[in-house]
Amino acid sequence: MQGQNQQQAYDRGITIFSPDGRLYQVEYAREAVKRGTASIGVRTPEGVVLVVDKRIRSPLMERDSVEKIHKADDHIGIASAGHVADARQLIDFARRQAQVNELRYGEPIGVETLTKEVTDYIQQYTQVGGARPFGVALIIAGIADGEPKLYETDPSGTPYEWKALAVGADRGDIREYLEENYAEDLSLDDGIRLALESLASVNDDELHPEGIGVATIDKETETFHELSEDEREDYLEEFELLAPEEEEDADADDADEE
């Protein structure tokens, strides 16, 4: 009984390490990320691709209100997985830092610099009493000095740089697909295809254009661009990943019956 009480004490306190060196609240925050729908990033020599699963839970919901891809600066995009409200706070922080850097130094903020600013902010919430860690992981993608960059933030406040990654639900399966199919010489369109195929691999190999989000940051223009629904549909049709319309209608009917 005493052992259980001690365990619960470590479980409740973010500022207290357990005897085996763990912060349980940070681990719980990572579990919250796993419950969020998937977000994927792929870095290519021509730019960076972000793809997200915008799962619509009700036909009554406005599809445009589900935001998982965000523009942080002209050359930087962010995708999230986990608690949406936490993501919004961190993205607002990232946008402020980008504007401060522009005003202070007269130049766009570096992707690595912005990532470390965000992770430093996240890390503060792992050592302050009366607060909880952010239950969200971000994929920060952009162009720095003419080179595509792709980073992940962790609820512990640790930044990681990747060639391709996934966060959120089915992360392990999607990462396995990326590891098997990623190549260093992908074009930007190949990167979009790889990201979409990896997401489709955990969704019965088919996707709805309104149920996903896609954005690119092109190396040449260094500009963030989020694809419209028509553009997403064209890519899905080209890659033979588009879900048949009759199945989409059947899903809507099922939702109505529920």
Side-chain angles (χ1 to χ4, degrees):
M1 186 68 179
Q2 184 177 0
Q4 283 184 338
N5 291 335
Q6 290 179 345
Q7 186 70 24
Q8 290 175 356
Y10 296 122
D11 182 79
R12 294 170 183 167
I14 185 61
T15 60
I16 303 172
F17 285 98
S18 69
D20 55 351
R22 297 161 64 185
L23 290 174
Y24 287 104
Q25 291 296 325
V26 172
E27 295 183 15
Y28 296 159
R30 291 195 181 109
E31 291 300 317
V33 172
K34 293 178 183 178
R35 292 178 176 272
T37 53
S39 294
I40 301 164
V42 176
R43 189 184 77 191
T44 77
E46 296 181 2
V48 194
V49 178
L50 295 173
V51 169
V52 299
D53 183 355
K54 294 169 54 176
R55 196 170 301 161
I56 307 300
R57 304 189 182 280
S58 169
L60 299 176
M61 183 180 293
E62 285 288 350
R63 293 165 177 169
D64 293 340
S65 68
V66 180
E67 294 184 300
K68 290 198 60 180
I69 293 182
H70 307 262
K71 178 181 176 181
D73 204 346
D74 289 337
H75 64 301
I76 298 177
I78 299 177
S80 65
H83 282 293
V84 175
D86 287 6
R88 189 177 66 249
Q89 290 295 315
L90 292 179
I91 288 160
D92 285 347
F93 174 80
R95 287 169 173 165
R96 289 195 299 271
Q97 294 304 114
Q99 293 172 16
V100 166
N101 191 89
E102 182 73 38
L103 290 171
R104 182 174 294 168
Y105 301 110
E107 62 183 20
I109 193 169
V111 184
E112 182 178 9
T113 301
L114 180 62
T115 301
K116 289 184 176 179
E117 292 277 0
V118 172
T119 52
D120 286 349
Y121 183 67
I122 293 171
Q123 195 274 338
Q124 293 177 23
Y125 284 80
T126 69
Q127 59 181 21
V128 177
R132 65 162 176 79
F134 288 95
V136 66
L138 303 179
I139 300 177
I140 302 179
I143 309 296
D145 299 323
E147 292 297 324
K149 297 290 184 180
L150 185 65
Y151 292 91
E152 174 194 7
T153 73
D154 180 80
S156 68
T158 306
Y160 303 96
E161 185 172 6
W162 293 84
K163 298 176 182 178
L165 79 152
V167 295
D170 301 309
R171 171 178 180 157
D173 293 335
I174 296 174
R175 183 187 294 180
E176 183 178 346
Y177 187 94
L178 291 171
E179 290 173 351
E180 291 175 356
N181 295 277
Y182 180 82
E184 299 281 352
D185 58 349
L186 294 173
S187 67
L188 193 59
D189 281 350
D190 290 337
I192 295 174
R193 179 170 193 155
L194 176 60
L196 289 173
E197 287 179 343
S198 64
L199 181 59
S201 69
V202 295
N203 286 278
D204 299 322
D205 292 323
E206 58 184 33
L207 299 168
H208 297 285
E210 71 277 6
I212 60 172
V214 182
T216 61
I217 305 96
D218 186 85
K219 177 181 176 180
E220 294 299 322
T221 61
E222 298 191 8
T223 301
F224 173 89
H225 170 65
E226 187 167 2
L227 274 63
S228 67
E229 185 172 330
D230 289 339
E231 290 175 305
R232 298 195 300 269
E233 185 172 357
D234 289 341
Y235 273 112
L236 292 177
E237 190 171 6
E238 179 184 350
F239 303 148
E240 298 181 353
L241 299 172
L242 184 63
E245 290 186 8
E246 57 270 22
E247 291 192 14
E248 183 179 356
D249 294 338
D251 290 341
D253 292 339
D254 291 342
D256 291 341
E257 290 175 4
E258 291 175 2

